[in-house]
Every structure is written in C-alpha cells, then in structure tokens.
Amino acid sequence: MNQWTKRSLVMGTLLVGGVLGLSYCSNKAEQQIQQQEQGNLNASADLKTLMAARNLTEGDVEAALKTYTPTGKKDEYMIFASGGQSGQVLAIGVPSMRLLKVIGVFTPEPWQGYGYGDDTNAILAGGNQGTHKLTWADVHHPNLSETKGDYDGQYLFVNDKANARIAVVDLADFATKQIVANPLVASDHGGAFVTPNTDYVIETSQYPAPLGRDYAPLSDYKAKYRGLAMFWKFDRTKGRIDPAASFGVELPPYSQDLADAGKLVSDGWVFIGSWNTEMATGGTLQGKPAIESGASQNDMDYLHIIDWKKAEQVVAAGKTTTMKGVKVITLQTAADENVLTLVGEPKSPHGADVTPDGTAIVVGGKLDTHGTVYEFSKIKDQIAAKKFESKDEFGVPVLSFKDTIRGQVELGLGPLHTVFDDKGNAYTSIFLESKVAKWSLKDMKLIEKLSVHYNVGHILAAEGDTVSPDGKYVVAMNKMSIDRFTGVGPLYPQNFQLIDITGDKMKLLADMPIGIGEPHYSQMIKTDKLKPLKMYTPGFNPATGVKDPNAVEGGKERIERHGDVVDVYMTAVRSHFTPDQVEVNEGDTVNFHITSLEQAEDQTHGFTVDMYNVNISLEPGKHENVTIKADMPGVYPMYCTEFCSALHLEMQGFFLVKPKGAK
Ligand code: CUK
Ligand code: CUA
C-alpha cells in the first residue's frame, strides 16, 4: 500500500469517524503515518550535517534540546502575560514558548464568543467607566491568586492602566468573570497585586487627578489632585471582588507607580513606589519644562508604605469618608494613624519588589544606577517607635533613608524590575543597557550580566513572586526586537526571551515574538497547580457561575412567542442545531438560548447569525444566551463557526426576518 492509498484510507476513516465522533482515534492513525514519514526522512541526515546546513552552534543545539517539546509532550510551566493594549491576557507554555490561549479580558474576543452574547456582554459592561464605551484597555500586571504566599492556581487578576479597572479571570475555565471599575480615579498602575492570601487585590493610581474624577484646574494641583491606593476585597467563596467590602487610601499627588504586598514577616504591608514628587504638571506651550524634566529634579522620590491591617481597623472604626460609594481613608487620617508612611527612594524609581522571605523590598531607579534594598524590620521598628525624620508637605511622616536600607548595589543604567530565584539571587532588568543583571541579595554583589534583545522592561521568574521561587527560568520581556525577526512593517513584535538560570551562568534559550499588544508584566506558574476544566456540566453558564435557568435539554427544544418577543430554546450537537429554522417578524426581539449537548472532550461548536454581529463559542455542556433585535428583514444563515466534524458545513440553519407588512 503506498502513502497515498494509506492517506485516502485515513481520510475515509476521518470522514466516517467525524460523523460518529471518532475523529480523535483516526487522528491518531494519521499521526502514526506522519511519524513514519518523518522517521524515513531523518534517518538519512546526521546531526552534524543538519547543524552545518542550518548554521547552528553546539550552544544552539543545547538550547534547542532544553526547549524543544515534541508533539504530545506538555510544558512544565505556564506564563500568564499581559496583552497590553489588546486588553487581553496571553497564556504561554514554558519551556516551549508556545502560545496556548489568548484570554479575552477587557476587549471582546470573538473566538471565545466573549462580548458577543448577553452574559459576557454583561461582564464587559461591568467595566464601563465614564460615558464613552470602552473597547480597549492597557493591561499591565497579571497577578495569580495566592494562598500563604504561594500561587494556588485558582484566579488571575489584571489591571487596566488606561481606565482604572481590575478584572478577575477564573483559571477553572480560563475565562473572565468580573470587571470592576474604580469610580475615583482615571488611571491606575500599581495593580493588580494580591496580598498573600488574596484577601485584597491592590490597585494604586498612576496619574494624580481630583478623586471622583471631578474637575479642578492644574493651578489647584497640590490642593485638589490626589492619588489613591484601592484595596479590592476578594471573596474567594464567590470568586468575585466585593466592592462593598473594599476601601481606598487617599495618597499625595505624587505619581504612584508599581506596588507589591509584603509576605511572611512583612505580611500586612504594601509598598508603592512613586515619581514626580516635584509635582510637575508641564506647560510646554507656556515655556515651562516638560513633565519629563520637571519630574526629574529631585534626587529622591518617595516609597509609600501602607500598613493595610491598620487600615482595615481604621475602616472598621468608621474613620472614613465615602466618595462615589467607596469608603476612603483621607490623607490626613492615613498620616495621623500611621496607615501611610514615606521613605526616600532614588531618583525616578520603578519597580518595588518584595523578596521571597519578605524581609526586604528591592527598588530600581530609571535615572539611578542602583538596586536599593530596604530592610523591612528597620521600617517596621521605626514606624512603631514613631522615629520619623520629617514630614512631607501633606503631613505624611517620612523615615530616614539611610536608617532604613540594607544597602545598594550598582547594577547599570536604568534598572527597572527585580525577580528572584531559590538560591538568594535577584535578577534585575536593566532597560537602557538591554541586560539582565544577576546579583546576590545576601552579599549585595553583582554576579553576572546577560545581554537581551532589546530594552528589557519587566522580567519574570518561575514562581517568582511567591515565598518559594523555583529558580530554573527567567523571561526577559523586551520592548524592542529590532534585528531579531523577519520584518512585519514598522510596528515590530515585542520579544520574550527565555533564560536558563540553573547553571553558574545565565543562558539564553529561546526568543518568542509577541505580535499582540505591548506586554508589561507576566507571572509563571507550575502547570501541575492548574486544574482546568475539560467541559462544563450540562447547561452551565460560565458567566453567571450556575446552571442557566434557560438551559435546554435534548428533546425540549422549542420556539415561544410572547407578543413581539421570541424565545428560541436551541441545542447544538454534532452536526445540527435544533431548531434549524427560526422565522420572526421585523422588529421582534429574539432571545436565543443555546445549550451544547456535547459531553466529549474538545468538541466545541460556534454559533453565528450572519450580519447580526453574533458569534458565540459553545464548549461541551455550555449554555449561552444571545439577544438580537430583528431589524434587518431578509434571510440570514445561522451556522456553526467551529470545524467540529466532517459534516460541520452542514451544521447550519436559517434565520428569516419577515419584513413589516409581508404576508
Ligand atoms: S510597568 Cu511596563 S515595563 Cu506598567 Cu510594570 Cu515597568
Ligand atoms: Cu458544529 Cu461546526
């Protein structure tokens, strides 16, 4: 039997198997033939010849061996990466650096049907701010839920810097469940960082403005403009943020930046960097310095230290004011009650990262060459003893810089973010030098620098933000890729570079071009901590988290008319929708209630009504509701958008809209 006969036999099996739902087995047969073919090809080529032909060094081959993941083999880690301006989150396997999923979060995602049905539209609508419909977000920092300071694999939180929002993604089905909009500020940045048991999701503002998004002229900057640290209470039993149990802490009008929660000995505290303590507001047309230079005058800015357990007590004691429905500890109260304390940090800092043991906080400096390490015990003791050096002009106590730090280590030009391994080492991204600096936390000594390509922003490490990082891998998230990839026009991909940190020397293993958004931060979790669902229980509505009241059972499909409202109770199963003919009158409101009757793994259907901007994803067992206004008379195919079986194309129906006045 030659290959072609074998192939056509397999295709025949595929066709029959697809109808019978046996495509998995026949795929396996196809795979075996492919492997045989590859085996025959490779037998004639030895490794050295291949290396020469592809111009590969031994180092390249070693890197390939460390990352190559043959078909069927799975990754040890998963990265959850910010999708930047796309408003989404990327799930990436490590070490293969294969993209596994793009999770729709703040932006509609058609494949998942996210934002094209009633229930996911309601989730997106939860993030409405202001009067303009928001169709994008600037995602910066994904953070995994933690239990006792360790990733527990249950939830992921992300922030939208552009519109001050936080989203909750459930890692049971990798789907967004909630978006909360901060009513007090217009931008955030220090989010979405979690406390060690995920009691709170922290969101701090970036650009100061009057709280509540009121108007005040820039001449009132010091008097009326403020920052905010929001503590969103997470209700784990519901898997949702509870806005009513959340609170804010008013901050001075400095530009608050990255934040991190304390852990172990520093549990109960939050550290937030800031820049522009000069409170520059620009005014270039009036001949004043641009904000970039106005904000770079002071040698020191302020690290903000918040005692959030104290803040909880202050809230419980009712010492808050309510602004737009949010309980807020005013700046005055925060200063008086020592909820908020400041300490100097070197020129235009970026990053505030708590070490795995919780004893120290590492801060980088965009305009400083050091990594600065603060000793938490010194901070805590001085606050307890009320040993303050001064107050800022808003009355917030300030600690002495030199009495607070463990030390500083010279790292290079533009140190930004720091992550940690399991051996007491820190890894800091050096933006201007395009390097990753490895240094020892104990000896405060630089160990090694590795070139990355190029302009590294954040870096991340395996389980890097937990109390027990794994070591093994660091990923440099590079802003520029200049000469790394084939050209795709003037908007270049970003470049994630996987680095092996197991040996004495860091070793670059692989590049992954990122052609979506501008990722900022990511976290990397061991995949054995994730317990993703394979399918939903029949009739389950993932957006509401319960079996849908309109779920449809096989045999109970029907169309009901109530005046000009038509309810279509529909099921989907290979390879048909029931009912497959829906005729309504122009002007009717049509509610589709669709349940997938599938209970076989990876058997997904889609459902669209052409021209009506509907596309939902029906994973096995899932229920979705879609409402459309039948305002376009005509005949519109409804069809399944997922190639689900050999008779997928036949999985269609008709949506007929009878024009007004027609017989
Ligand atoms: S920021 Cu982007 S590289 Cu938003 Cu975390 Cu530093
Ligand atoms: Cu169902 Cu295609």
Side-chain angles (χ1 to χ4, degrees):
M1 195 160 39
N2 69 30
Q3 297 291 7
W4 290 112
T5 339
K6 270 197 212 164
R7 273 187 183 278
S8 46
L9 268 179
V10 166
M11 288 315 289
T13 324
L14 266 177
L15 187 66
V16 177
V19 176
L20 298 175
L22 296 172
S23 57
Y24 174 72
C25 307
S26 44
N27 278 342
K28 232 180 177 171
E30 170 81 336
Q31 226 175 57
Q32 275 165 5
I33 292 178
Q34 270 178 13
Q35 278 165 1
Q36 273 173 22
E37 286 171 353
Q38 281 166 4
N40 293 341
L41 275 180
N42 291 348
S44 63
D46 77 28
L47 201 55
K48 286 250 159 68
T49 319
L50 273 176
M51 283 169 65
R54 294 205 62 218
N55 206 9
L56 299 177
T57 64
E58 276 180 21
D60 295 336
V61 174
E62 190 193 327
L65 291 176
K66 284 180 173 170
T67 55
Y68 175 65
T69 310
T71 184
K73 287 255 162 59
K74 292 181 189 156
D75 283 303
E76 188 184 0
Y77 289 93
M78 196 181 292
I79 291 175
F80 289 95
S82 135
Q85 296 90 333
S86 78
Q88 298 164 333
V89 164
L90 314 177
I92 298 163
V94 175
S96 73
M97 300 306 273
R98 296 181 297 195
L99 178 64
L100 297 169
K101 192 160 201 175
V102 177
I103 307 169
V105 180
F106 294 104
T107 315
E109 203 294 309
W111 181 47
Q112 290 145 30
Y114 182 68
Y116 299 91
D118 298 356
D119 309 298
T120 52
N121 274 334
I123 293 171
L124 281 162
N128 281 345
Q129 287 264 55
T131 56
H132 290 260
K133 190 172 180 199
L134 300 171
T135 58
W136 81 289
D138 189 8
V139 172
H140 277 236
H141 309 109
N143 248 238
L144 291 152
S145 58
E146 294 180 10
T147 299
K148 293 191 181 144
D150 202 3
Y151 303 150
D152 54 38
Q154 293 183 3
Y155 296 94
L156 183 78
F157 307 93
V158 292
N159 73 311
D160 167 17
K161 168 168 163 163
N163 309 293
R165 302 182 290 174
I166 300 286
V168 181
V169 176
D170 191 336
L171 296 179
D173 59 356
F174 284 52
T176 302
K177 303 294 169 174
Q178 184 187 26
I179 302 175
V180 290
N182 192 321
L184 300 180
V185 292
S187 71
D188 68 30
H189 195 225
F193 299 106
V194 300
T195 53
N197 281 308
T198 323
D199 296 300
Y200 291 99
V201 182
I202 300 152
E203 180 199 27
T204 66
S205 57
Q206 174 103 92
Y207 305 114
L211 293 188
R213 295 197 291 268
D214 289 337
Y215 170 79
L218 281 164
S219 54
D220 285 349
Y221 195 85
K222 285 187 186 178
K224 303 255 175 78
Y225 285 51
R226 292 292 178 264
L228 181 83
M230 189 73 198
F231 290 79
W232 293 106
K233 180 80 187 154
F234 185 61
D235 181 342
R236 206 187 273 264
T237 58
K238 296 204 177 86
R240 303 287 186 275
I241 283 169
D242 179 2
S246 306
F247 65 91
V249 179
E250 186 183 21
L251 301 176
Y254 313 135
S255 292
Q256 282 80 27
D257 200 37
L258 273 297
D260 201 3
K263 49 178 84 109
L264 299 173
V265 289
S266 53
D267 187 9
W269 299 75
V270 167
F271 311 93
I272 310 160
S274 74
W275 46 274
N276 199 12
T277 46
E278 299 85 348
M279 293 177 277
T281 58
T284 42
L285 276 188
Q286 294 92 54
K288 293 189 201 151
I291 294 175
E292 63 171 323
S293 64
S296 309
Q297 300 304 307
N298 294 347
D299 284 335
M300 293 290 233
D301 290 296
Y302 286 128
L303 180 70
H304 295 44
I305 302 154
I306 292 182
D307 180 343
W308 66 259
K309 297 231 162 126
K310 174 77 84 56
E312 270 187 330
Q313 293 163 12
V314 170
V315 173
K319 294 185 211 164
T320 53
T321 58
T322 301
M323 301 173 74
K324 302 233 158 144
V326 180
K327 289 189 201 103
V328 176
I329 300 175
T330 63
L331 185 51
Q332 178 83 54
T333 306
D336 293 349
E337 302 274 346
N338 292 138
V339 164
L340 175 66
T341 309
L342 304 171
V343 63
E345 55 181 349
K347 219 171 171 76
S348 296
H350 198 49
D353 298 290
V354 176
T355 54
D357 61 7
T359 62
I361 305 104
V362 180
V363 164
K366 297 174 308 229
L367 302 179
D368 184 81
T369 55
H370 297 97
T372 301
V373 183
Y374 294 82
E375 195 74 65
F376 174 70
S377 61
K378 294 183 181 176
I379 290 176
K380 193 179 168 190
D381 292 349
Q382 289 179 82
I383 293 175
K386 296 199 189 297
K387 189 168 166 270
F388 303 120
E389 187 183 66
S390 60
K391 287 187 171 180
D392 80 342
E393 58 183 292
F394 301 93
V396 184
V398 181
L399 299 171
S400 148
F401 174 72
K402 69 171 185 1
D403 293 345
T404 312
I405 59 169
R406 180 185 292 180
Q408 291 186 292
V409 51
E410 179 90 30
L411 294 175
L413 298 175
L416 298 185
H417 301 285
T418 301
V419 292
F420 308 96
D421 70 8
D422 54 341
K423 299 181 191 72
N425 298 313
Y427 300 78
T428 301
S429 53
I430 313 292
F431 179 78
L432 292 174
E433 291 183 19
S434 295
K435 292 226 161 72
V436 170
K438 174 181 175 182
W439 52 284
S440 157
L441 274 168
K442 195 164 114 254
D443 318 328
M444 300 290 293
K445 280 221 177 68
L446 180 66
I447 299 170
E448 188 202 352
K449 277 168 147 181
L450 178 78
S451 289
V452 290
H453 317 89
Y454 300 90
N455 290 60
V456 53
H458 274 278
I459 56 177
L460 64 131
E463 300 262 325
D465 291 313
T466 69
V467 292
S468 57
D470 283 4
K472 280 196 164 181
Y473 298 112
V474 154
V475 174
M477 304 174 68
N478 305 306
K479 303 285 179 192
M480 297 188 181
S481 62
I482 309 175
D483 54 7
R484 295 293 108 169
F485 306 115
T486 308
V488 288
L491 182 60
Y492 284 37
Q494 309 261 311
N495 188 13
F496 283 12
Q497 286 184 308
L498 181 66
I499 299 164
D500 178 357
I501 57 165
T502 52
D504 286 344
K505 293 236 165 248
M506 291 184 277
K507 188 169 172 10
L508 194 58
L509 294 182
D511 284 28
M512 178 190 187
I514 303 287
I516 187 171
E518 180 212 344
H520 286 261
Y521 192 44
S522 308
Q523 285 188 334
M524 195 195 305
I525 183 176
K526 199 94 190 291
T527 48
D528 63 12
K529 287 182 173 175
L530 298 165
K531 303 276 179 285
L533 284 176
K534 295 198 164 144
M535 63 192 70
Y536 295 109
T537 52
F540 189 78
N541 183 330
T544 58
V546 291
K547 182 171 178 172
D548 198 276
N550 292 312
V552 189
E553 285 168 38
K556 304 222 173 121
E557 298 90 348
R558 63 204 183 272
I559 299 175
E560 289 177 4
R561 175 175 281 281
H562 311 276
D564 59 1
V565 176
V566 180
D567 285 279
V568 182
Y569 295 88
M570 184 183 273
T571 60
V573 72
R574 274 161 291 170
S575 300
H576 51 272
F577 294 107
T578 310
D580 55 4
Q581 298 170 355
V582 177
E583 180 155 326
V584 301
N585 301 319
E586 183 182 355
D588 283 347
T589 299
V590 186
N591 302 312
F592 286 94
H593 311 287
I594 315 175
T595 304
S596 165
L597 298 182
E598 299 287 354
Q599 281 291 289
E601 199 173 338
D602 203 14
Q603 274 298 341
T604 295
H605 301 284
F607 173 78
T608 178
V609 180
D610 291 355
M611 305 294 155
Y612 275 92
N613 201 38
V614 167
N615 182 44
I616 57 172
S617 170
L618 294 162
E619 295 101 272
K622 192 184 193 184
H623 181 88
E624 284 258 6
N625 300 293
V626 187
T627 301
I628 57 181
K629 183 89 181 150
D631 51 8
M632 285 184 295
V635 175
Y636 302 95
M638 317 183 287
Y639 75 90
C640 170
T641 52
E642 192 83 19
F643 207 112
C644 54
S645 68
L647 297 177
H648 148 76
L649 294 175
E650 288 76 358
M651 193 164 174
Q652 66 132 130
F654 295 96
F655 181 60
L656 304 102
V657 182
K658 216 191 291 179
K660 278 201 174 104
K663 291 238 167 98

